[in-house]
Amino acid sequence: MFNPMRHQKINHLRLKIGICLLIALATTIPAMAASPWQPLPEVAPAPASNPTTPAKVELGKMLYFDTRMSSSGNVSCFSCHNVMEGGDDHRSTSIGVHGHVGGRNAPTVFNAAFLSSQFWDGRAATLEDQAKGPPANPIEMGMANLDAVIDRVKNIPGYKPYFEKAFGAGDVVTMDNAAKAIAAYERTLITPNSAYDLYAKGDLKALSEQQARGLATFAEAGCTSCHQGPTFSGPQMPPGTGFFMKFPTFQDSPYAAKYDFLSDTGRATSTRNDADKNIWRVPGLRNLVYTAPYFHNGQVHTIDEAVRIMGSTQLNKELSDAQVADIVAFLDSLTGPFPVQEMPRLPPTPGDLLD
Amino acid sequence: MFNPMRHQKINHLRLKIGICLLIALATTIPAMAASPWQPLPEVAPAPASNPTTPAKVELGKMLYFDTRMSSSGNVSCFSCHNVMEGGDDHRSTSIGVHGHVGGRNAPTVFNAAFLSSQFWDGRAATLEDQAKGPPANPIEMGMANLDAVIDRVKNIPGYKPYFEKAFGAGDVVTMDNAAKAIAAYERTLITPNSAYDLYAKGDLKALSEQQARGLATFAEAGCTSCHQGPTFSGPQMPPGTGFFMKFPTFQDSPYAAKYDFLSDTGRATSTRNDADKNIWRVPGLRNLVYTAPYFHNGQVHTIDEAVRIMGSTQLNKELSDAQVADIVAFLDSLTGPFPVQEMPRLPPTPGDLLD
């Protein structure tokens, strides 16, 4: 059975080791001493089985924007994970093919590369696994199965040279390679060097006074029990591990009923295990101003309210208005900058592709 | 009543004047003499009321990609006019909000800036007018009216500085300005310098032997009666004029019934004038390899078949296989290059925007 507390213990140990290292470092580099906080790395880690290469990223970006892998030909990864905005779709829950409406809020693709599990319920271990989910989901991209998806790609002859450039000669136009390419592209969708990151790297003036106070409040109130590490989604762990928490932990919080947080049972819907009821992957907190509305059902409109809810449902605390304002100011320091991207050019469509 | 023949006469006159000028020029610049063909200009014309500026193009590109101006929040100009591919959507007819399916094939946005009317039936005089159509169309973007569209924009505070940069201070977040900005962006979506354009500018080696033969066949067969000018959509005329033709002209062509070309009565659906029955704007012929399937109802899958159909329905001729192959080779010379574009960054969404 999954035990979220175990991961917290592991992380507390890591945090302690990290702090010790930082203190040791402080004797030689004083500017680094003040911050036990972890900045987002400037390069996302990639698995040994799928090193990030420019050719994969180029192909993956094409596939990410290509609506032709949906049954109706008008839904792509980009439809719900809009990299021109916050990496999500600003709806409470997403719309897929033929107007079908999904059940959960689209998580942002930005910095997903740093998470050790994917989807709200953590049912995919890696970005590669995740990329194979939506295309054959009847509500999302609506293809009959993954064979049908890759057949669409094969029927667009212009894709072949890009697969060969990324994966070599031979029978390389495969769903596995398509997913690898998309994952490689997604590993470039990261937002290091926010004001917080600069602060964590030692530039103590990068945060405003209120933001610095908010950071302290965030830690003191207990938010960092879960929201820690460079993405504030929990400690860095091997892919597939995931970092989960019960939400709401305090189910008698008035917010639980107000926003209908309990009816979707979270991780239990994929594990079919009662012990996973209302267990969710701890979401990251970067770029929140771009990812409203909030929570798994997208029922909460503002960051202020989201912070208040977390205090109540997870810490059993009523945060003061001043605390909320300071924490929100700190969270704002976790925004951007976003990667500058050139639009891909997609190969032409045979006229009978969608028939 | 609209008289397409009048426009042809005007154009024949223009063509003659153009040829005379070219002959005159030939005495001093021999390399220019061989081609009476018109290349696509490298800059699209803009009306005096909306000169193209970098600030308008920047804002227009943002609005073009912004799905938040649709009722469901997931349909933008880009949804049906995909500038990463052919400027259309590779479907026979488009899908708008909530899975609603439209009645006509999405025309490409590329080089629309050169046309003297917009939409298949020419019901919009300018790109500015056209941009106001889809947002309040119940099938396309589904907003109640244009006031509701601009209210959405106003409710995204991050847009205001971009409107002010493009249009000055004051009450500038208006639907008229939004349409002007989108039109300004669309005037950058042009594809000069295709192989044909280089040929038309005097580089006679830019076309292959077959393409040059196809060009001659295209003219000799009579295709240039309608498909002339830099876009091959008819002569350059003032905005709002339009260049129209009856399609099918020869209604007893077997293709008329085979592809159901008559049931949509074209321009008559917007003018409510019987004389406009089956009258259509003459479409351009650039980048055809990217814009399958073809014709107003998107029922034809290949360029070869489209060429055969045109011979039969418009010229009452059965083109030989060799003629078709040569014309198709020539049409291929009208493709690209497409403008390299950076992705826009869209301002963040207030959490209650779509409620």
Side-chain angles (χ1 to χ4, degrees):
Chain A
M1 198 196 102
F2 178 79
N3 177 357
M5 299 311 290
R6 184 172 61 85
H7 294 294
Q8 285 189 59
K9 281 180 196 150
I10 291 171
N11 185 64
H12 284 157
L13 186 64
R14 287 183 180 203
L15 197 62
K16 279 180 194 160
I17 295 170
I19 290 169
C20 292
L21 282 172
L22 277 168
I23 290 168
L25 213 57
T27 58
T28 48
I29 313 171
M32 296 289 290
S35 175
W37 300 95
Q38 295 171 266
L40 201 68
E42 302 209 17
V43 176
S49 58
N50 189 27
T52 307
T53 66
K56 280 186 214 167
V57 171
E58 180 183 30
L59 170 62
K61 191 202 275 181
M62 294 165 75
L63 295 168
Y64 187 91
F65 280 89
D66 203 323
T67 57
R68 294 172 289 190
M69 269 144 283
S70 64
S71 61
S72 52
N74 73 330
V75 179
S76 70
C77 308
F78 172 70
S79 302
C80 298
H81 303 284
N82 187 343
V83 294
M84 297 179 191
E85 203 216 349
D88 66 336
D89 66 357
H90 45 248
R91 285 182 48 90
S92 51
T93 66
S94 301
I95 293 188
V97 289
H98 303 300
H100 296 316
V101 179
R104 289 180 184 158
N105 184 262
T108 180
V109 68
F110 282 111
N111 305 312
F114 294 103
L115 305 181
S116 68
S117 72
Q118 303 297 332
F119 293 114
W120 274 99
D121 54 16
R123 67 184 183 275
T126 63
L127 291 175
E128 286 80 357
D129 288 349
Q130 192 280 333
K132 293 180 190 170
N137 180 308
I139 288 176
E140 298 181 50
M141 294 171 73
M143 296 298 283
N145 51 52
L146 293 180
D147 287 343
V149 177
I150 202 64
D151 278 352
R152 279 275 178 86
V153 180
K154 284 181 182 164
N155 287 332
I156 301 169
Y159 264 121
K160 196 163 184 212
Y162 291 93
F163 275 83
E164 288 174 342
K165 196 171 154 197
F167 297 103
D171 183 20
V172 287
V173 185
T174 65
M175 193 64 219
D176 279 347
N177 283 343
K180 280 184 176 177
I182 291 170
Y185 168 57
E186 290 174 336
R187 291 192 175 100
T188 70
L189 300 175
I190 64 175
T191 64
N193 299 314
S194 67
Y196 160 81
D197 291 308
L198 303 183
Y199 177 90
K201 287 176 187 174
D203 176 3
L204 300 186
K205 290 182 183 160
L207 296 191
S208 72
E209 203 176 305
Q210 186 182 25
Q211 287 175 327
R213 201 166 61 231
L215 178 63
T217 306
F218 184 81
E220 286 156 19
C223 307
T224 45
S225 300
C226 294
H227 294 290
Q228 55 185 252
T231 58
F232 292 85
S233 63
Q236 288 290 82
M237 291 184 295
T241 318
F243 183 69
F244 299 84
M245 187 51 58
K246 188 159 201 161
F247 170 73
T249 294
F250 296 93
Q251 301 199 348
D252 55 357
S253 159
Y255 293 116
K258 181 175 180 184
Y259 293 112
D260 187 29
F261 286 143
L262 285 159
S263 61
D264 183 339
T265 58
R267 191 161 166 80
T269 59
S270 58
T271 63
R272 309 282 168 200
N273 183 340
D274 263 2
D276 289 332
K277 263 181 96 165
N278 303 114
I279 295 287
W280 296 91
R281 186 185 66 165
V282 173
L285 298 182
R286 286 179 178 265
N287 309 309
L288 284 183
V289 68
Y290 280 93
T291 62
Y294 304 105
F295 294 101
H296 63 264
N297 58 6
Q299 289 304 300
V300 178
H301 291 160
T302 69
I303 304 178
D304 299 49
E305 182 76 345
V307 169
R308 267 193 201 91
I309 291 167
M310 285 276 101
S312 172
T313 63
Q314 304 310 103
L315 303 168
N316 202 23
K317 283 179 187 168
E318 192 177 331
L319 297 170
S320 71
D321 288 353
Q323 284 178 310
V324 170
D326 289 352
I327 290 173
V328 170
F330 152 62
L331 291 171
D332 199 40
S333 78
L334 290 170
T335 295
F338 294 91
V340 174
Q341 298 186 73
E342 195 176 289
M343 291 184 205
R345 284 290 323 151
L346 305 184
T349 312
D352 58 354
L353 186 78
L354 298 177
D355 285 354
Chain B
M1 198 196 101
F2 177 79
N3 177 357
M5 298 312 289
R6 186 171 62 84
H7 294 295
Q8 285 191 57
K9 279 180 197 151
I10 291 171
N11 184 64
H12 284 157
L13 186 64
R14 286 182 179 206
L15 198 63
K16 278 179 193 162
I17 295 170
I19 291 169
C20 290
L21 283 173
L22 277 168
I23 290 169
L25 212 59
T27 58
T28 48
I29 313 170
M32 296 289 290
S35 174
W37 299 94
Q38 296 170 264
L40 201 68
E42 301 209 16
V43 176
S49 58
N50 189 26
T52 307
T53 66
K56 281 186 215 167
V57 171
E58 181 183 29
L59 170 62
K61 190 202 273 182
M62 294 164 76
L63 295 168
Y64 187 92
F65 280 89
D66 202 323
T67 57
R68 294 171 290 189
M69 269 144 284
S70 64
S71 60
S72 52
N74 72 330
V75 180
S76 70
C77 307
F78 172 70
S79 302
C80 298
H81 302 285
N82 186 342
V83 295
M84 297 178 190
E85 201 216 351
D88 66 336
D89 66 357
H90 44 250
R91 286 183 46 90
S92 51
T93 65
S94 300
I95 292 189
V97 288
H98 302 300
H100 296 316
V101 179
R104 289 179 186 160
N105 184 261
T108 178
V109 69
F110 282 112
N111 306 311
F114 294 103
L115 305 181
S116 67
S117 72
Q118 303 297 333
F119 292 115
W120 273 100
D121 53 16
R123 67 185 182 274
T126 63
L127 291 175
E128 286 80 357
D129 289 349
Q130 192 280 335
K132 293 180 190 170
N137 180 309
I139 289 177
E140 298 180 49
M141 295 170 73
M143 297 297 282
N145 51 51
L146 293 179
D147 287 344
V149 176
I150 200 65
D151 279 352
R152 279 275 178 85
V153 180
K154 283 180 182 163
N155 288 331
I156 301 169
Y159 264 121
K160 196 165 184 210
Y162 291 94
F163 275 83
E164 288 174 343
K165 195 170 155 198
F167 297 103
D171 184 21
V172 288
V173 185
T174 65
M175 192 64 220
D176 279 346
N177 283 343
K180 279 183 176 177
I182 291 170
Y185 168 56
E186 290 175 335
R187 291 193 175 98
T188 70
L189 300 175
I190 64 176
T191 62
N193 299 314
S194 66
Y196 160 81
D197 291 309
L198 302 184
Y199 177 90
K201 286 177 187 173
D203 176 4
L204 301 187
K205 290 184 181 157
L207 296 192
S208 72
E209 201 177 307
Q210 187 183 24
Q211 287 174 327
R213 200 167 60 229
L215 178 63
T217 305
F218 184 80
E220 286 157 19
C223 307
T224 45
S225 300
C226 294
H227 293 291
Q228 55 186 254
T231 58
F232 291 86
S233 64
Q236 287 290 79
M237 290 183 295
T241 318
F243 184 68
F244 299 84
M245 188 51 60
K246 188 157 202 162
F247 170 75
T249 293
F250 296 94
Q251 301 198 348
D252 54 355
S253 159
Y255 293 115
K258 181 173 180 186
Y259 292 112
D260 187 28
F261 286 143
L262 285 159
S263 61
D264 183 338
T265 58
R267 191 161 168 77
T269 59
S270 58
T271 63
R272 307 283 168 197
N273 183 340
D274 264 2
D276 289 333
K277 263 182 95 167
N278 304 113
I279 296 286
W280 297 90
R281 187 184 66 166
V282 174
L285 299 182
R286 287 179 177 265
N287 309 309
L288 285 182
V289 69
Y290 279 93
T291 62
Y294 304 105
F295 294 101
H296 62 264
N297 58 6
Q299 289 303 302
V300 177
H301 291 159
T302 68
I303 304 179
D304 299 47
E305 182 76 343
V307 170
R308 265 191 203 93
I309 290 167
M310 284 276 103
S312 172
T313 63
Q314 303 311 102
L315 302 168
N316 201 22
K317 284 178 186 169
E318 193 178 329
L319 297 170
S320 72
D321 287 353
Q323 284 178 310
V324 170
D326 289 352
I327 290 173
V328 170
F330 152 62
L331 291 171
D332 199 39
S333 78
L334 290 170
T335 296
F338 294 91
V340 174
Q341 297 185 76
E342 196 175 288
M343 291 184 206
R345 284 289 325 150
L346 305 185
T349 311
D352 58 355
L353 186 78
L354 298 178
D355 285 355

